[in-house]
Amino acid sequence: MPLEKIYIARHGLTGSPPPGKKSPTGLPRDPPLAAYGETQAKELADYFLNLPEDERPTAIFSSPYYRCLQTSQPTAKALNLPIYVEHGLSEWYSPVAPGTGLHPRPASATSLKSYFPEIDPQWSSLWYPSQKGEDVSEVHDRSDGFLGVFAPELDRFFEGKHQRILLVSHAATVITLVRSLVGVRELPLRVGCCSLSELITKPQENGLVPNNGKKVIGAWKPIKLADGSHLEKGASREWGFEHIEIDAGKVVNDPGVPGTENLSEGPTGAQVVHSLL
């Protein structure tokens, strides 16, 4: 059966490691959830658990960052689902400042499984963002490209098993994913912590699925966008692209991680060849 519904959640509210301590993974810029973020993640799980069974997601795909995996875990436990790690859902970093090295990249699914036993490492990431960062147009391109390879690979790998999935990601990536699916790059959207978007395939026209069901970009209809009604206190810390700092029409560069100045970046872009846009 073809994919019919996509849920997209931003991670819960994050905290900071105590002074002098690293994040749980030791990766720079990889903070855990704050206590309230953990509460939000449980509220998200309760929301899905209270849905009729035929509306619940049957697969969870998460960014490899700790805060996203932490957000995914209560839902995975509540619905008895594995978590599949996908680097295509990773955090967005603007281009690195010259001479400052690379942005961080989380470990493999196999390594992350030591923190989150719900991870199923059989899924291999289909897309890797550049460790040299992305401009605004490039993070939108990433979502377009990722979704173009993700949809057919999801169907191939799981033999059409999943009609409803949950993607757990970061504010900027959530926004670009929604914009790609809706097909409107200028769609106004601000995303709060643990907010939830829900999209379904566009209605059939004259009894036919648009583009024979093969189109991904622009083929989805939003039911809810960045909704926080499942959270007791509503969505918090909303973020939109209007919050970024712009210099002469471009995103201001970010410094890379100290000590990575002489390292080569890892794999970048699509890791499979098929694409349905």
Side-chain angles (χ1 to χ4, degrees), residues 70-143:
Q70 243 186 317
T71 301
S72 303
Q73 190 176 47
T75 297
K77 289 181 176 180
L79 302 185
N80 193 28
L81 299 176
I83 299 171
Y84 301 106
V85 174
E86 175 51 63
H87 282 253
L89 301 174
S90 289
E91 177 67 284
W92 170 57
Y93 295 115
S94 58
V96 291
T100 64
L102 303 172
H103 290 306
R105 173 168 289 174
S108 68
T110 300
S111 297
L112 292 169
K113 187 175 174 64
S114 63
Y115 302 96
F116 299 96
E118 295 80 12
I119 289 175
D120 185 339
Q122 294 185 73
W123 176 267
S124 296
S125 284
L126 303 179
W127 194 282
Y128 287 90
S130 172
Q131 289 183 267
K132 296 179 181 179
E134 304 161 304
D135 212 330
V136 174
S137 63
E138 291 171 332
V139 68
H140 283 82
D141 291 343
R142 188 227 299 186
S143 287

Side-chain angles (χ1 to χ4, degrees), residues 61-276:
F61 293 85
S62 173
S63 159
Y65 284 85
Y66 197 89
R67 54 196 179 275
C68 288
L69 292 166
Q70 243 186 317
T71 301
S72 303
Q73 190 176 47
T75 297
K77 289 181 176 180
L79 302 185
N80 193 28
L81 299 176
I83 299 171
Y84 301 106
V85 174
E86 175 51 63
H87 282 253
L89 301 174
S90 289
E91 177 67 284
W92 170 57
Y93 295 115
S94 58
V96 291
T100 64
L102 303 172
H103 290 306
R105 173 168 289 174
S108 68
T110 300
S111 297
L112 292 169
K113 187 175 174 64
S114 63
Y115 302 96
F116 299 96
E118 295 80 12
I119 289 175
D120 185 339
Q122 294 185 73
W123 176 267
S124 296
S125 284
L126 303 179
W127 194 282
Y128 287 90
S130 172
Q131 289 183 267
K132 296 179 181 179
E134 304 161 304
D135 212 330
V136 174
S137 63
E138 291 171 332
V139 68
H140 283 82
D141 291 343
R142 188 227 299 186
S143 287
D144 283 355
F146 164 67
L147 289 167
V149 296
F150 175 72
E153 186 63 15
L154 177 75
D155 187 60
R156 185 202 67 80
F157 189 87
F158 295 103
E159 298 180 341
K161 175 183 176 181
H162 298 298
Q163 295 176 264
R164 302 171 303 279
I165 61 170
L166 168 63
L167 308 180
V168 182
S169 188
H170 311 261
T173 314
V174 167
I175 291 172
T176 59
L177 288 167
V178 169
R179 287 176 171 178
S180 293
L181 291 167
V182 175
V184 181
R185 281 202 175 188
E186 296 76 26
L187 180 72
L189 189 59
R190 297 178 67 184
V191 180
C193 290
C194 235
S195 62
L196 185 65
S197 296
E198 179 182 344
L199 301 98
I200 60 172
T201 51
K202 285 185 176 178
Q204 296 184 358
E205 299 175 1
N206 299 321
L208 300 174
V209 177
N211 200 35
N212 294 322
K214 294 187 178 296
K215 185 178 180 182
V216 178
I217 307 305
W220 295 78
K221 175 183 177 181
I223 300 300
K224 59 175 67 175
L225 291 175
D227 183 73
S229 61
H230 56 288
L231 304 171
E232 182 178 357
K233 296 182 180 179
S236 61
R237 200 178 290 180
E238 292 183 332
W239 187 94
F241 275 98
E242 66 271 19
H243 289 111
I244 62 177
E245 188 176 354
I246 299 290
D247 181 21
K250 292 187 177 181
V251 181
V252 175
N253 293 341
D254 277 339
V257 176
T260 64
E261 292 82 0
N262 297 316
L263 297 180
S264 298
E265 67 173 327
T268 300
Q271 304 301 298
V272 290
V273 296
H274 51 229
S275 180
L276 296 177

